[in-house]
Amino acid sequence: METTINIGQVVLIPRKYAAAPAAIQQTATAGTASNRTFTVNSRGEKLHQVEPQQTLYSISRMHAVKVDDIKRWNNLPDNTISVGAFLIVGKGQPVPSKNPIYVSESDDEIAKDSVTETAVASTEPVAATTNPANTHVVLTPQPATPAPATSVSDDDEEMVDSVSGAKKIIETGMAEMIDPKADTNKYLALHKTAPVGTIMQVKNAMNDQVVYVRVIGKLPNTGENNNVVVRLSKKACQKLGAIDQKFRVELSYMP
């Protein structure tokens, strides 16, 4: 490992170190997804809101543009940026969007391949677009009439986290692998209602193993998914110690 690490990068910690409480882990991790979002104004400009610990360099890497371009677009005299400021990080976007658009990481092979197919197969209208500046696939939810309730999980409840005070959704049900042939070193998930970019905790009910996954697309409302609450990448299933094709899990995430 080099001395520099990037936001969203998975860092392995020796097992002898105690893990932080789950609630604190989820609160800290949930912020990572929002770091990788942008909106598009009426002029077709991509706008990124600066969050703590972000630099011009890390933002330029995220959106695949040059630091000098960001400085020129925003009339910045130097590399100093303020938390909360909106920076222009790209131009020429065809469709304005006030809803945050999630930028997937460049090595998310499942995000590039399966998410596009999921967007087509899903009954909920979703627009899949490719950022001209790079090869990331981003999904923008489109307005839709509420779908009828389906029995995707045995239990679904909303509670308030005692540490952060934020609302947290807890679901229980069956999990399956996204695609047994897909090979990625990422912890990824497909879910019917959680927004793309959501970080959720998944616990295997059989052995209490826990993994944190990032939602990269919608789980289609098809017959084979009627009794499935989430589909996980092969890496995530291995982390959970799953031995069956379908296994019971508990999900929790911040809406």
Side-chain angles (χ1 to χ4, degrees):
M1 173 177 282
E2 299 175 353
T3 55
T4 302
I5 59 176
N6 300 317
I7 291 177
Q9 177 181 350
V10 176
V11 179
L12 302 181
I13 307 298
R15 292 180 181 272
K16 65 181 180 179
Y17 288 91
I24 296 177
Q25 287 185 25
Q26 180 147 3
T27 302
T29 314
T32 303
S34 64
N35 286 345
R36 303 188 61 84
T37 61
F38 66 89
T39 56
V40 180
N41 64 20
S42 58
R43 295 188 296 274
E45 297 170 333
K46 292 174 59 177
L47 301 179
H48 176 94
Q49 187 171 23
V50 181
E51 298 203 6
Q53 301 182 351
Q54 288 186 333
T55 64
L56 269 184
Y57 177 72
S58 67
I59 294 172
S60 70
R61 290 285 300 272
M62 183 188 310
H63 296 283
V65 295
K66 297 178 180 179
V67 171
D68 289 342
D69 287 337
I70 297 180
K71 292 171 66 175
R72 176 167 52 85
W73 292 331
N74 295 276
N75 297 319
L76 298 177
D78 52 37
N79 291 345
T80 304
I81 54 178
S82 303
V83 173
F86 285 90
L87 297 177
I88 300 173
V89 293
K91 295 193 174 187
Q93 298 297 302
V95 181
S97 174
K98 294 182 179 180
N99 295 325
I101 301 173
Y102 181 76
V103 181
S104 59
E105 296 186 44
S106 58
D107 56 347
D108 284 352
E109 296 180 5
I110 292 181
K112 293 177 184 177
D113 301 329
S114 298
V115 173
T116 306
E117 297 175 3
T118 300
V120 176
S122 176
T123 56
E124 179 179 347
V126 177
T129 60
T130 303
N131 183 353
N134 51 48
T135 57
H136 298 330
V137 173
V138 294
L139 296 182
T140 308
Q142 303 297 314
T145 54
T150 56
S151 57
V152 235
S153 62
D154 299 328
D155 190 16
D156 187 350
E157 61 176 313
E158 186 176 289
M159 60 180 294
V160 177
D161 187 271
S162 59
V163 176
S164 64
K167 290 184 178 180
K168 182 167 64 174
I169 293 178
I170 297 178
E171 299 177 73
T172 58
M174 304 303 291
E176 270 193 306
M177 196 179 298
I178 293 177
D179 182 356
K181 297 179 181 179
D183 187 14
T184 177
N185 62 347
K186 295 284 184 178
Y187 299 108
L188 308 174
L190 300 177
H191 191 271
K192 289 188 176 180
T193 56
V196 172
T198 298
I199 302 296
M200 61 174 54
Q201 175 186 285
V202 183
K203 182 170 71 173
N204 187 340
M206 296 296 293
N207 55 20
D208 289 336
Q209 290 289 329
V210 171
V211 67
Y212 287 85
V213 297
R214 185 172 69 251
V215 177
I216 60 168
K218 294 290 185 182
L219 185 63
N221 284 310
T222 58
E224 63 180 359
N225 292 325
N226 281 345
N227 297 317
V228 176
V229 68
V230 68
R231 285 190 179 269
L232 304 169
S233 63
K234 181 178 180 180
K235 184 73 172 179
C237 291
Q238 291 173 341
K239 179 69 174 178
L240 291 172
I243 57 177
D244 298 320
Q245 183 177 356
K246 280 188 179 182
F247 55 101
R248 183 168 294 278
V249 295
E250 177 185 285
L251 311 177
S252 60
Y253 62 95
M254 304 294 184

